[in-house]
mmCIF file of all heavy atoms in Angstrom:
data_model
loop_
_atom_site.group_PDB
_atom_site.id
_atom_site.type_symbol
_atom_site.label_atom_id
_atom_site.label_comp_id
_atom_site.label_asym_id
_atom_site.label_seq_id
_atom_site.Cartn_x
_atom_site.Cartn_y
_atom_site.Cartn_z
ATOM 1 N N ILE A 197 4.664 -9.159 10.439
ATOM 2 C CA ILE A 197 3.360 -8.621 10.816
ATOM 3 C C ILE A 197 2.307 -9.719 10.601
ATOM 4 O O ILE A 197 2.176 -10.242 9.498
ATOM 5 C CB ILE A 197 3.020 -7.376 9.987
ATOM 6 C CG1 ILE A 197 4.038 -6.268 10.279
ATOM 7 C CG2 ILE A 197 1.592 -6.903 10.267
ATOM 8 C CD1 ILE A 197 3.948 -5.078 9.361
ATOM 9 N N CYS A 211 -9.412 -10.275 5.053
ATOM 10 C CA CYS A 211 -8.074 -10.071 5.581
ATOM 11 C C CYS A 211 -8.225 -9.396 6.939
ATOM 12 O O CYS A 211 -8.826 -8.327 7.040
ATOM 13 C CB CYS A 211 -7.284 -9.188 4.614
ATOM 14 S SG CYS A 211 -5.619 -8.850 5.155
ATOM 15 N N MET A 213 -6.364 -8.124 10.637
ATOM 16 C CA MET A 213 -5.129 -7.828 11.352
ATOM 17 C C MET A 213 -5.425 -6.872 12.501
ATOM 18 O O MET A 213 -6.516 -6.309 12.588
ATOM 19 C CB MET A 213 -4.069 -7.242 10.403
ATOM 20 C CG MET A 213 -4.466 -5.986 9.691
ATOM 21 S SD MET A 213 -3.371 -5.494 8.326
ATOM 22 C CE MET A 213 -1.768 -5.521 9.031
ATOM 23 N N ARG A 214 -4.451 -6.705 13.397
ATOM 24 C CA ARG A 214 -4.623 -5.789 14.523
ATOM 25 C C ARG A 214 -4.619 -4.346 14.012
ATOM 26 O O ARG A 214 -3.925 -4.007 13.051
ATOM 27 C CB ARG A 214 -3.521 -5.988 15.545
ATOM 28 C CG ARG A 214 -3.621 -7.340 16.234
ATOM 29 C CD ARG A 214 -2.591 -7.520 17.296
ATOM 30 N NE ARG A 214 -1.290 -7.790 16.703
ATOM 31 C CZ ARG A 214 -0.265 -8.312 17.346
ATOM 32 N NH1 ARG A 214 -0.362 -8.619 18.623
ATOM 33 N NH2 ARG A 214 0.879 -8.533 16.744
ATOM 34 N N LEU A 215 -5.402 -3.495 14.665
ATOM 35 C CA LEU A 215 -5.579 -2.114 14.231
ATOM 36 C C LEU A 215 -4.257 -1.350 14.164
ATOM 37 O O LEU A 215 -3.996 -0.644 13.183
ATOM 38 C CB LEU A 215 -6.560 -1.389 15.152
ATOM 39 C CG LEU A 215 -6.836 0.071 14.818
ATOM 40 C CD1 LEU A 215 -7.459 0.192 13.426
ATOM 41 C CD2 LEU A 215 -7.745 0.689 15.866
ATOM 42 N N ASP A 216 -3.406 -1.487 15.176
ATOM 43 C CA ASP A 216 -2.138 -0.739 15.184
ATOM 44 C C ASP A 216 -1.279 -1.079 13.969
ATOM 45 O O ASP A 216 -0.606 -0.214 13.409
ATOM 46 C CB ASP A 216 -1.349 -1.027 16.459
ATOM 47 C CG ASP A 216 -1.990 -0.407 17.691
ATOM 48 O OD1 ASP A 216 -2.885 0.442 17.526
ATOM 49 O OD2 ASP A 216 -1.595 -0.781 18.808
ATOM 50 N N GLU A 217 -1.299 -2.349 13.557
ATOM 51 C CA GLU A 217 -0.512 -2.753 12.393
ATOM 52 C C GLU A 217 -1.184 -2.322 11.091
ATOM 53 O O GLU A 217 -0.506 -1.955 10.129
ATOM 54 C CB GLU A 217 -0.273 -4.262 12.442
ATOM 55 C CG GLU A 217 0.665 -4.599 13.568
ATOM 56 C CD GLU A 217 0.536 -6.003 14.105
ATOM 57 O OE1 GLU A 217 -0.497 -6.659 13.898
ATOM 58 O OE2 GLU A 217 1.493 -6.436 14.751
ATOM 59 N N TRP A 218 -2.500 -2.318 11.067
ATOM 60 C CA TRP A 218 -3.220 -1.839 9.890
ATOM 61 C C TRP A 218 -2.932 -0.358 9.664
ATOM 62 O O TRP A 218 -2.748 0.077 8.525
ATOM 63 C CB TRP A 218 -4.726 -2.071 10.044
ATOM 64 C CG TRP A 218 -5.493 -1.534 8.885
ATOM 65 C CD1 TRP A 218 -5.724 -2.148 7.687
ATOM 66 C CD2 TRP A 218 -6.121 -0.252 8.790
ATOM 67 N NE1 TRP A 218 -6.450 -1.332 6.864
ATOM 68 C CE2 TRP A 218 -6.708 -0.156 7.519
ATOM 69 C CE3 TRP A 218 -6.237 0.833 9.669
ATOM 70 C CZ2 TRP A 218 -7.412 0.965 7.092
ATOM 71 C CZ3 TRP A 218 -6.937 1.954 9.241
ATOM 72 C CH2 TRP A 218 -7.513 2.014 7.976
ATOM 73 N N VAL A 219 -2.853 0.424 10.734
ATOM 74 C CA VAL A 219 -2.572 1.861 10.618
ATOM 75 C C VAL A 219 -1.216 2.093 9.953
ATOM 76 O O VAL A 219 -1.068 3.005 9.140
ATOM 77 C CB VAL A 219 -2.674 2.553 11.998
ATOM 78 C CG1 VAL A 219 -2.071 3.951 11.971
ATOM 79 C CG2 VAL A 219 -4.118 2.620 12.448
ATOM 80 N N VAL A 220 -0.234 1.246 10.258
ATOM 81 C CA VAL A 220 1.079 1.366 9.616
ATOM 82 C C VAL A 220 0.921 1.212 8.098
ATOM 83 O O VAL A 220 1.464 1.997 7.316
ATOM 84 C CB VAL A 220 2.065 0.321 10.181
ATOM 85 C CG1 VAL A 220 3.355 0.290 9.372
ATOM 86 C CG2 VAL A 220 2.348 0.598 11.648
ATOM 87 N N PHE A 221 0.177 0.191 7.676
ATOM 88 C CA PHE A 221 -0.064 -0.019 6.249
ATOM 89 C C PHE A 221 -0.820 1.157 5.640
ATOM 90 O O PHE A 221 -0.503 1.629 4.548
ATOM 91 C CB PHE A 221 -0.863 -1.306 6.004
ATOM 92 C CG PHE A 221 -0.031 -2.538 6.029
ATOM 93 C CD1 PHE A 221 0.094 -3.276 7.185
ATOM 94 C CD2 PHE A 221 0.627 -2.964 4.893
ATOM 95 C CE1 PHE A 221 0.864 -4.423 7.214
ATOM 96 C CE2 PHE A 221 1.399 -4.112 4.906
ATOM 97 C CZ PHE A 221 1.517 -4.842 6.067
ATOM 98 N N PHE A 222 -1.827 1.632 6.330
ATOM 99 C CA PHE A 222 -2.648 2.718 5.790
ATOM 100 C C PHE A 222 -1.839 4.003 5.667
ATOM 101 O O PHE A 222 -1.940 4.715 4.662
ATOM 102 C CB PHE A 222 -3.882 2.934 6.668
ATOM 103 C CG PHE A 222 -4.885 3.862 6.053
ATOM 104 C CD1 PHE A 222 -5.540 3.520 4.864
ATOM 105 C CD2 PHE A 222 -5.181 5.080 6.632
ATOM 106 C CE1 PHE A 222 -6.461 4.375 4.285
ATOM 107 C CE2 PHE A 222 -6.095 5.935 6.063
ATOM 108 C CZ PHE A 222 -6.738 5.591 4.885
ATOM 109 N N ASN A 223 -1.007 4.286 6.662
ATOM 110 C CA ASN A 223 -0.151 5.472 6.578
ATOM 111 C C ASN A 223 0.835 5.369 5.424
ATOM 112 O O ASN A 223 1.105 6.361 4.736
ATOM 113 C CB ASN A 223 0.577 5.718 7.896
ATOM 114 C CG ASN A 223 -0.317 6.367 8.924
ATOM 115 O OD1 ASN A 223 -1.237 7.108 8.588
ATOM 116 N ND2 ASN A 223 -0.059 6.080 10.180
ATOM 117 N N ALA A 224 1.376 4.188 5.184
ATOM 118 C CA ALA A 224 2.273 3.993 4.036
ATOM 119 C C ALA A 224 1.515 4.250 2.729
ATOM 120 O O ALA A 224 2.050 4.862 1.802
ATOM 121 C CB ALA A 224 2.850 2.585 4.050
#
Side-chain angles (χ1 to χ4, degrees):
I197 297 170
C211 180
M213 58 192 309
R214 293 183 284 198
L215 180 61
D216 289 347
E217 291 155 340
W218 177 84
V219 166
V220 171
F221 279 95
F222 190 64
N223 281 330

